[in-house]
């Protein structure tokens, strides 16, 4: 839960999501405020507002806000859960579309708003994993990139938690999933949504999207390095046969390897113009049979996360 406050209301113990500096002289973001030095730097900056995260720090009155979860949606009828999930996906996709459009157009990125959307998306996947997977399987051509990114983001947070990564890493990976395919917005739609086989030239254009997205995100200093790495390297595989850099396992971080597993799984189980969706079991079996591409531990864990209810 994010709150925007005037900078003169900040206090130690707050978790700072972002500081709205027009001249960006205070670029630090997503940290626990616990030093007089950071307090003074924010107060003397050109910022007027600061975004704080009430889940991770104190509120303006110095109180720790207890996380209150609504009654489990699993108690609701499936049709009601599905409608609710569609509503969350639709709203998150709207925020993502705006955020990606801002980046592509060179406008400032509202990182706090994007982080909040990633959190809400993560909650949906955590609470209604099967419903979320079903809702995001069907995508119209104009929303494929956005809904795919939401699904990858949700899967990445689920898998990261299952692998016992810390909360901060999980949250950043949620944002990384949202932004990982931004390079596809730079590809002409007639190539991106082509139903038939791609020509060699078109394949080169498609395979350039991770590098193009990385170069675009790099112009925003507020974006964490791990988000840049996921954007650039999510098509790399363990034996070095991936792209764009052909890196091998030793050069691929755990977040990058995790993103590759989730990205491929989501693509295999989704309806696309050129293929029918695979079942969850088919996708996991195919990935498990390729240890030269994917970390088997991550594939098994993903299967465990999705095994609570039958899917597809």
């Amino acid at each position: 839960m994010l709150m925007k406050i005037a900078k003169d209301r900040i206090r130690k113990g707050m978790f700072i999501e972002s500081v709205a500096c027009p001249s960006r002289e205070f670029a630090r973001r997503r940290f626990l405020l616990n030093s007089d030095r950071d307090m003074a730097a924010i107060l003397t900056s050109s910022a007027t507002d600061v975004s704080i995260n009430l889940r991770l720090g104190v509120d303006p009155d110095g109180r720790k806000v207890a996380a209150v979860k609504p009654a489990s949606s699993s108690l609701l009828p499936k049709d009601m859960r599905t409608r609710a999930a569609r509503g969350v996906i639709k709203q998150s996709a709207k925020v993502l579309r705006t955020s990606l459009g801002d980046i592509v157009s060179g406008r400032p990125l509202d990182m706090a708003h994007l982080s909040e959307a990633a959190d809400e998306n993560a909650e949906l996947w955590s609470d209604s994993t099967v419903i979320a997977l079903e809702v995001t399987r069907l995508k119209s051509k104009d929303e494929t990139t956005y809904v795919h990114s939401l699904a990858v983001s949700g899967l990445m947070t689920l898998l990261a938690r299952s692998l016992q990564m810390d909360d901060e890493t999980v949250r950043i990976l949620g944002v990384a999933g949202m932004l990982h395919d931004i390079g596809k917005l730079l590809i002409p739609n007639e190539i991106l949504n082509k139903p038939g086989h791609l020509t060699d030239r078109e394949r080169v254009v498609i395979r350039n999207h991770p590098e193009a997205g990385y170069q675009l995100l790099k112009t925003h200093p507020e974006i964490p390095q791990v988000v840049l790495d996921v954007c650039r390297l999510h098509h790399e595989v363990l034996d070095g046969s991936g792209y764009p850099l052909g890196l091998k396992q030793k050069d691929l971080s755990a977040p990058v390897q995790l993103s590759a597993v989730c990205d491929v799984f989501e693509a295999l189980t989704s309806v696309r113009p050129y293929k029918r969706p695979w079942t969850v079991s088919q996708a996991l079996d195919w990935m498990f049979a390729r240890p030269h591409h994917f970390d088997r531990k991550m594939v098994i864990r993903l299967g465990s996360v999705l095994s609570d209810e039958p899917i597809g």
Side-chain angles (χ1 to χ4, degrees):
M1 181 166 38
L2 301 186
M3 175 184 287
K4 185 174 289 188
I5 62 173
K7 70 177 181 183
D8 58 7
R9 297 183 69 196
I10 62 173
R11 62 190 302 157
K12 289 182 181 178
M14 286 182 170
F15 189 90
I16 307 297
E17 281 286 345
S18 62
V19 180
C21 289
S23 56
R24 296 188 177 183
E25 73 273 23
F26 189 92
R28 192 178 179 197
R29 59 174 303 280
R30 309 211 74 252
F31 66 96
L32 186 65
L33 181 60
N34 54 18
S35 75
D36 292 330
R37 178 180 174 183
D38 285 333
M39 286 267 295
I42 295 173
L43 291 172
T44 58
S45 73
S46 61
T48 55
D49 298 320
V50 176
S51 291
I52 62 173
N53 191 318
L54 298 181
R55 291 177 182 152
L56 303 177
V58 301
D59 68 9
D61 296 319
R63 298 172 302 189
K64 179 68 177 176
V65 179
V68 179
K69 286 186 70 68
S72 174
S73 65
S74 62
L75 301 178
L76 299 175
K78 184 177 179 181
D79 61 335
M80 292 181 65
R81 295 166 64 194
T82 300
R83 284 198 299 272
R86 285 191 181 126
V88 173
I89 293 294
K90 182 177 180 179
Q91 180 59 34
S92 297
K94 182 178 179 181
V95 173
L96 182 57
R97 185 188 293 267
T98 299
S99 297
L100 298 188
D102 287 342
I103 296 173
V104 171
S105 301
R107 294 188 292 269
L109 171 64
D110 188 341
M111 195 68 180
H113 198 196
L114 182 62
S115 295
E116 184 175 18
D119 286 347
E120 291 174 357
N121 184 59
E123 286 183 13
L124 168 65
W125 283 82
S126 178
D127 194 43
S128 304
T129 303
V130 173
I131 299 292
L133 191 59
E134 290 177 351
V135 168
T136 55
R137 265 183 164 180
L138 299 173
K139 310 172 180 68
S140 63
K141 287 184 178 180
D142 66 330
E143 66 180 2
T144 295
T145 295
Y146 305 104
V147 178
H148 167 70
S149 296
L150 291 174
V152 171
S153 174
L155 290 168
M156 286 176 65
T157 59
L158 288 176
L159 182 52
R161 286 197 189 105
S162 178
L163 293 169
Q164 298 184 334
M165 294 184 179
D166 63 87
D167 289 345
E168 175 67 4
T169 298
V170 171
R171 297 190 74 248
I172 292 177
L173 289 181
V175 175
M178 300 272 266
L179 295 177
H180 82 286
D181 257 353
I182 188 172
K184 285 187 176 178
L185 298 185
L186 306 176
I187 298 174
N189 284 335
E190 59 268 23
I191 296 178
L192 188 62
N193 297 320
K194 185 176 180 179
H197 292 293
L198 298 174
T199 66
D200 290 342
R201 184 191 68 82
E202 291 169 339
R203 193 170 291 107
V204 169
V205 173
I206 289 284
R207 286 168 68 97
N208 185 57
H209 81 268
E211 184 66 28
Y214 166 74
Q215 295 297 335
L216 188 58
L217 292 183
K218 229 179 30 165
T219 63
H220 292 264
E222 69 273 26
I223 295 179
Q225 184 61 45
V226 67
V227 177
L228 299 179
D229 291 341
V230 166
C231 177
R232 191 183 202 185
L233 306 176
H234 64 274
H235 281 293
E236 300 284 355
V237 292
L238 304 185
D239 65 359
S241 63
Y243 62 90
L245 303 181
L247 301 180
K248 293 190 176 183
Q249 183 171 8
K250 64 182 179 63
D251 297 313
L252 300 173
S253 67
V256 165
Q257 293 182 43
L258 182 149
S259 71
V261 168
C262 294
D263 181 64
V264 170
F265 172 82
E266 205 288 324
L268 291 174
T269 57
S270 290
V271 174
R272 293 293 175 88
Y274 47 83
K275 74 168 189 68
R276 292 184 177 183
W278 290 12
T279 66
V280 168
S281 295
Q282 288 172 331
L284 292 171
D285 289 347
W286 184 87
M287 295 171 72
F288 185 80
R290 286 159 177 77
H292 53 295
H293 282 180
F294 311 105
D295 183 296
R296 274 186 164 175
K297 178 182 177 182
M298 291 186 179
V299 175
I300 292 172
R301 284 296 183 90
L302 182 60
S304 177
V305 167
L306 299 174
S307 65
D308 291 338
E309 301 177 54
I311 313 171

